[in-house]
Amino acid sequence: MPAMQAAILSIGDELALGQTVDTNTAWLADQLARRGLMSRLHLTTADDQSAILAALRWALSQAELILVTGGLGPTEDDLTRFALAELMGTELQLDQASLDAIAAFFARRGRTMAQRNQVQAMCPVGAAMLDNPVGTAPGIRALIDGKAVICMPGVPSEMRHMFQRHVAGALDEQTGRVIRSAVLHTFGKGESDIAQMLGELMRRDRNPLVGTTVARGIVSVRIRSEAGDVPSAESALETTIGEVKSVLGELVFGRDDQTLAQCVGRKLDEAGRTLAVAESCTGGLLAKLLTDTPGSSGYFLGGWVTYANAMKQGQLSVEERLIREHGAVSQPVAEAMARGVLGRSDADYALATTGIAGPGGGSREKPVGTVWIALARRMDDHTVKVEAQLHVLPGDRAMVRLRTAHAALNLLRRAI
Ligand code: AMP
Ligand code: MG
């Protein structure tokens, strides 16, 4: 049996106007993809009944499963149920169980239900309501010419809850195929280098399938395993993960939701070591990324944002002569900043960043994106070992800063 085709329809003026980013469609498409289902069509309409009707008709001509979000609320602009009834050529009728559930939802919050909310219990004749324990808007399911149309609330948390409650299980059963996927994150090489290294592992006819994506300097290797049952899918997935890791080695820093900062934090934690930072061009971003992780106080001591030269001198004892002779963006200054942090704190490791984030400030010798990062380490014999790296990073100001912070974290990761 060929795989079922799906379409996703999101409804709302705020989406059509570009004021709200359509995260529902992305989330649903990912949920379908995880089950091996391709959503071949993504549609967005304004709160306009004829547009919704046209979109539903088109979706039905293209797909067997149509997932709809939005337009189930109690206000004038919530038109999904009316468009669905028009499509089905039926009337709306009151669903008493839904009305009771909505009234009970309000009662639990000590409020009385507004008259307006009654419309949310109206169901096209021939369709069925899907209960919504986390909000007022029930969903609606209809079977039209053997094709399933499932309407869910627009509020992302309610939509996700309804999908998990009423749709996910049925999809798993219907597809009879189990998909397990994982993502391995790498740092240090570009996407084409990674692809070159992976070689045959990236063949398109392979199962598990291996592919790469890149975002903010981090190349991620996506692995998708498909089988008839869970144990087969999982063991094939783990085997391929092992193969990818053995090819890429130290380039791999994490899996699935793990960030570079979390990976560094875990390594510091395991080694019982601490870190402090000195930031110029990253202006606190490095500290921000490190402290995004709960529990980071166990290994991250703190840091200095020394943006002006006087602060580098006064706070971190960077010699004025170094700045005068080499410039603030230079190896000697980056190293002196890192040493200065160890001089001013008890940390075992110190990271320092200094660079030209742009858009101005570049020169021929030091173009925008020129960045020095340094790592100082207190050795067991109390001497200090320092290493520095030069990067010339592409991208705008925000990208240069983020890549600098990532490069600094990666320098430390490789050193621990
Ligand atoms: P609705 O159910 O259409 O009244 O939507 C309620 C709220 O959910 C809207 O005001 C949006 O803030 C949000 N929302 C609706 N649709 C989406 C979507 N596709 N992606 C993200 N947020 C959405
Ligand atoms: Mg709406």
Side-chain angles (χ1 to χ4, degrees), residues 27-43:
W27 189 86
L28 286 169
D30 180 58
Q31 288 294 316
L32 294 176
R34 284 168 194 231
R35 294 168 171 83
L37 295 172
M38 174 74 182
S39 50
R40 68 192 306 220
L41 205 62
H42 293 175
L43 297 168

Side-chain angles (χ1 to χ4, degrees), residues 106 122 335 409:
F106 279 100
M122 300 297 283
E335 291 182 354
L409 289 170

Side-chain angles (χ1 to χ4, degrees), residues 19 54 87 102 121 123 170-171 176 233 244 279 295 334 357 384 396 398 413:
Q19 292 164 346
L87 177 75
I102 296 168
C123 183
L171 282 183
V244 170
E279 303 188 59
V384 170
D396 63 8
R413 173 180 79 92

